[in-house]
Amino acid sequence: MQKEDTIIIGGGPCGMACAIDLQEHGINPLIIEKENVVNTIYNFPTHQTFFSSSDKLEIGGIPFITEKQKPVRNQALAYYRDVSIRKNLRVNTFERVIDIVSSDNNNFRIETKNEKGLNLTYIAENVIIATGYYDQPNNMNIPGEELPKVMHYFKEAHPYLNKNIVVIGGKNSAVDTTLELHKAGANIMVLYRGDDYSKSIKPWILPEFDSLVRKEIVQMEFNAQIQKITHEKVIYTAGNKTKEIDNDFVFAMTGYKPDLQFLKQAGIQIDEETGRPYYEPETMETNVPGIYVAGVVASGYNNNEIFIENGRFHGGTIARAITSKG
């Protein structure tokens, strides 16, 4: 059984920022990450460009310098790897936290399983949960969603030349996916439950997308409610009519959500309407003394509230709170 002062669950930019801030306060925490470092960014589309400029993604005072103002995925991966090495962060990758249990003397017992299937146990005085939200797709809960042809993540468009693709959704991820698929020669139908373009679409990509729709290069149907997916078709309703479209692959870009069950399992109170965990903004400490939240997981269902840009500062708040306890 390994004893730690502080364990950080989640090795994304916000979890890493927490570790660096704790180091500056004399604590050398252990990060436990179920996949690889900055796994969310790793799972971004291959050619993803960030919404944020590179300086707003910096952590630990290490400059993130890129030729263009907004970096792409591979540049971010290289930057955060470099930060991890230069700051000598202690990170256990490919190790999943199974349970957090209050133990004796105000400590916590953390149960994990690593990539070799070994069960490990840690004791920690403090736990920081920085698990993000990208690992939990918003399922449509319709027949056929489990088919291999249905994907909630988009990596790259190359395999889909001349394939009939349905993109479900109408926000940034759906628009980005559609544009990439068009460039690769796919035949695309976009089905969106809204009655107009989402106001959240990045303004610099909407004109290109709208042009493809107006020219009927990309087919798009608003007010579309997906009913069923089969091996050959997507069945949906729109305007009180049931329609179907022949289809090879489906990209259900329906958004993502935090793993609230994991938080509840740790005893953290959750607002059922917003999905927001209870925490004190001045300390980021939850209703369970000694457990803190950092990054987008603190925003509940509203993942437009906290980004790397502002979530990276949670570490300083938490570090001050932990060290002030004496």
Side-chain angles (χ1 to χ4, degrees), residues 4 45-46 48 69 81 83 99 132 170 174 181 199 202 212 221 242 253 262 274 276 279 284-285 301 303 313 320-321:
E4 297 287 340
T46 302
Q48 175 88 27
Q69 184 183 29
R81 286 198 308 269
V83 170
D99 202 7
L181 287 166
K199 290 182 173 55
K202 293 174 284 194
L212 293 174
E221 182 124 38
T242 298
M253 313 309 293
F262 180 74
T274 65
R276 185 188 297 271
Y279 64 92
M284 304 304 292
E285 190 171 26
Y301 298 133
N303 50 47
F313 298 117
R320 288 189 293 272

Side-chain angles (χ1 to χ4, degrees), residues 265-279:
Q265 190 176 319
I268 298 172
Q269 295 174 2
I270 305 292
D271 184 304
E272 294 300 332
E273 183 177 342
T274 65
R276 185 188 297 271
Y278 172 85
Y279 64 92

Side-chain angles (χ1 to χ4, degrees), residues 159-187:
Y160 305 106
L161 171 66
N162 293 327
K163 292 297 182 180
N164 296 322
I165 309 294
V166 167
V167 175
I168 299 171
K171 297 186 178 180
N172 283 308
S173 59
V175 172
D176 283 333
T177 296
T178 300
L179 294 176
E180 290 291 325
L181 287 166
H182 163 67
K183 292 171 187 174
N187 308 311

Side-chain angles (χ1 to χ4, degrees), residues 49-52 70 172 176 179 201-209:
T49 299
F50 277 78
F51 181 85
S52 305
K70 294 179 178 179
N172 283 308
D176 283 333
L179 294 176
I201 297 176
K202 293 174 284 194
W204 60 87
I205 64 171
L206 181 57
E208 181 182 357
F209 179 77

